[in-house]
Amino acid sequence: MARVVVDVMLKPEILDPQGQAVQRALPRLGFEGITDVRQGKRFELEVEGPVDEAALARIHEMAETFLANTVIEDFTVRVDEPAEARS
Amino acid sequence: MARVVVDVMLKPEILDPQGQAVQRALPRLGFEGITDVRQGKRFELEVEGPVDEAALARIHEMAETFLANTVIEDFTVRVDEPAEARS
Amino acid sequence: MARVVVDVMLKPEILDPQGQAVQRALPRLGFEGITDVRQGKRFELEVEGPVDEAALARIHEMAETFLANTVIEDFTVRVDEPAEARS
Amino acid sequence: MARVVVDVMLKPEILDPQGQAVQRALPRLGFEGITDVRQGKRFELEVEGPVDEAALARIHEMAETFLANTVIEDFTVRVDEPAEARS
């Protein structure tokens, strides 16, 4: 069993008003030095069997069809590194 | 300028009904072998200056306060690897 | 063809950190007098045929199973009023 | 204290792939007759004082700036009807 992560973000040229609201709130909340905040979606897929080139290609196709709208969003597909400890 | 990524996911024991709906739709849509789908949020922060231990600690604190509800969500903070090509 | 709207919000006792960040940003952005902001999801369903009690009951069941996690979220189901003009 | 609701939906001409995935999953899950599903955001704002025309105009302006990206999203602003019982 492997985990594949699909990250979906609005394209850079498309405004993210909520991210901007958070970014503008940060100095008032005591957090300086963050010049931009953008919010997207992260999908974690549990995949049976080996995640080889063919499997990644199919997940890429699935992401393109059902997880992202590629007119307004970019996405990445990658096998999750187990080193990512979560707090 | 560095990018820091904060990923926020529902805790594993908390049901994600929409992720489940997507997971159950996949075989019908021709995608087999994906046994679980969970959807979370990804925040990309552009940070001025060096992202040292102190900066990461402050971003961790910010994530804990303003990006995640740690009663129901887990989060990770990490410096983005530029190798992540986006499609 | 009728439209049914399912609104899904975190339960009132569950903290919504992002809504809070937006709320705290508003005075700095020139908007006073908003004491709380909470963010949820809105689903618009296009339904074939009459939306009678039986249809609403089935949509309620679907929402409970696939759109909301009733441990942490509340939801409402209602037929959309066409008077809701959108800007 | 009054509640104002801001609904934000992708414009009708912009594809909502996740809504589509849910819609296509429904027949397999035993729910027939739903021809489209679209997912958007719902913001609930608690407002101090009377929600008169001027207050609504200001909330409209705020929504346009910080809650919706009007290039890709439509939004509505309305005073919440207390009759909306939540289950």
Side-chain angles (χ1 to χ4, degrees):
Chain A
M1 188 76 76
R3 173 174 293 167
V4 174
V5 173
V6 180
D7 288 319
V8 178
M9 300 297 291
L10 281 176
K11 286 179 186 289
E13 66 269 24
I14 296 191
L15 188 71
D16 173 5
Q18 287 176 264
Q20 283 208 323
V22 171
Q23 187 265 322
R24 292 185 196 188
L26 292 178
R28 187 164 170 269
L29 303 171
F31 297 98
E32 303 284 348
I34 294 175
T35 57
D36 194 27
V37 175
R38 290 178 74 81
Q39 178 177 346
K41 300 173 206 164
R42 175 186 167 97
F43 296 92
E44 294 183 353
L45 314 178
E46 301 297 329
V47 182
E48 279 182 335
V51 182
D52 50 15
E53 282 297 305
L56 279 176
R58 291 180 59 258
I59 290 170
H60 195 280
E61 184 193 349
M62 187 195 74
E64 200 161 19
T65 318
F66 292 111
L67 301 182
N69 174 350
T70 55
V71 176
I72 56 172
E73 295 167 326
D74 290 328
F75 69 94
T76 59
V77 175
R78 63 195 160 82
V79 180
D80 196 32
E81 307 115 55
E84 277 183 26
R86 188 159 290 170
S87 32
Chain B
M1 188 77 77
R3 173 174 293 168
V4 173
V5 174
V6 179
D7 287 321
V8 179
M9 300 295 293
L10 280 175
K11 286 178 185 289
E13 65 270 23
I14 296 191
L15 188 72
D16 174 5
Q18 287 175 264
Q20 283 209 323
V22 170
Q23 186 265 321
R24 292 183 196 189
L26 293 176
R28 184 162 174 271
L29 303 171
F31 298 97
E32 304 283 348
I34 293 174
T35 58
D36 195 25
V37 176
R38 291 179 74 80
Q39 180 178 344
K41 300 173 207 164
R42 173 187 169 95
F43 296 91
E44 294 182 354
L45 314 178
E46 301 297 331
V47 182
E48 278 182 335
V51 181
D52 50 17
E53 282 298 305
L56 279 175
R58 291 180 58 255
I59 290 170
H60 195 279
E61 183 194 350
M62 187 193 75
E64 201 160 19
T65 317
F66 292 112
L67 302 180
N69 174 349
T70 56
V71 175
I72 57 172
E73 293 168 327
D74 291 328
F75 68 94
T76 60
V77 175
R78 63 196 160 79
V79 180
D80 196 33
E81 306 114 57
E84 279 182 25
R86 188 159 288 171
S87 34
Chain C
M1 188 74 78
R3 173 174 295 167
V4 173
V5 173
V6 179
D7 288 319
V8 179
M9 301 296 293
L10 281 176
K11 285 180 186 289
E13 65 269 24
I14 296 191
L15 189 70
D16 172 7
Q18 288 176 264
Q20 283 209 324
V22 170
Q23 187 264 322
R24 292 185 197 189
L26 292 177
R28 187 164 171 271
L29 303 170
F31 297 97
E32 303 284 348
I34 293 174
T35 58
D36 195 26
V37 175
R38 290 178 75 81
Q39 178 177 346
K41 300 173 206 163
R42 175 188 168 96
F43 296 92
E44 294 182 355
L45 314 178
E46 301 296 329
V47 183
E48 279 182 334
V51 182
D52 50 16
E53 282 298 304
L56 279 176
R58 291 179 60 255
I59 291 170
H60 195 279
E61 184 193 349
M62 187 193 76
E64 200 161 19
T65 316
F66 292 111
L67 302 181
N69 174 348
T70 55
V71 175
I72 55 172
E73 294 168 326
D74 290 328
F75 69 95
T76 59
V77 175
R78 65 197 158 81
V79 181
D80 195 32
E81 306 116 56
E84 278 183 25
R86 189 160 287 169
S87 31
Chain D
M1 188 76 78
R3 173 174 293 166
V4 173
V5 174
V6 179
D7 289 320
V8 178
M9 302 295 293
L10 281 176
K11 286 179 185 290
E13 65 270 23
I14 296 191
L15 189 70
D16 173 6
Q18 287 177 263
Q20 284 210 323
V22 170
Q23 186 264 324
R24 291 184 197 189
L26 292 177
R28 186 164 172 271
L29 303 170
F31 297 97
E32 303 284 348
I34 294 174
T35 57
D36 194 26
V37 175
R38 290 178 76 81
Q39 180 179 343
K41 300 173 206 162
R42 173 187 169 98
F43 296 91
E44 294 182 353
L45 314 179
E46 302 296 331
V47 182
E48 278 182 334
V51 182
D52 49 17
E53 282 298 303
L56 280 176
R58 291 179 58 255
I59 291 170
H60 196 278
E61 185 195 349
M62 186 193 76
E64 200 160 20
T65 316
F66 292 111
L67 302 180
N69 174 349
T70 55
V71 175
I72 58 173
E73 294 167 326
D74 291 328
F75 69 94
T76 59
V77 174
R78 63 196 159 81
V79 181
D80 196 32
E81 306 115 58
E84 279 184 25
R86 187 160 288 170
S87 32

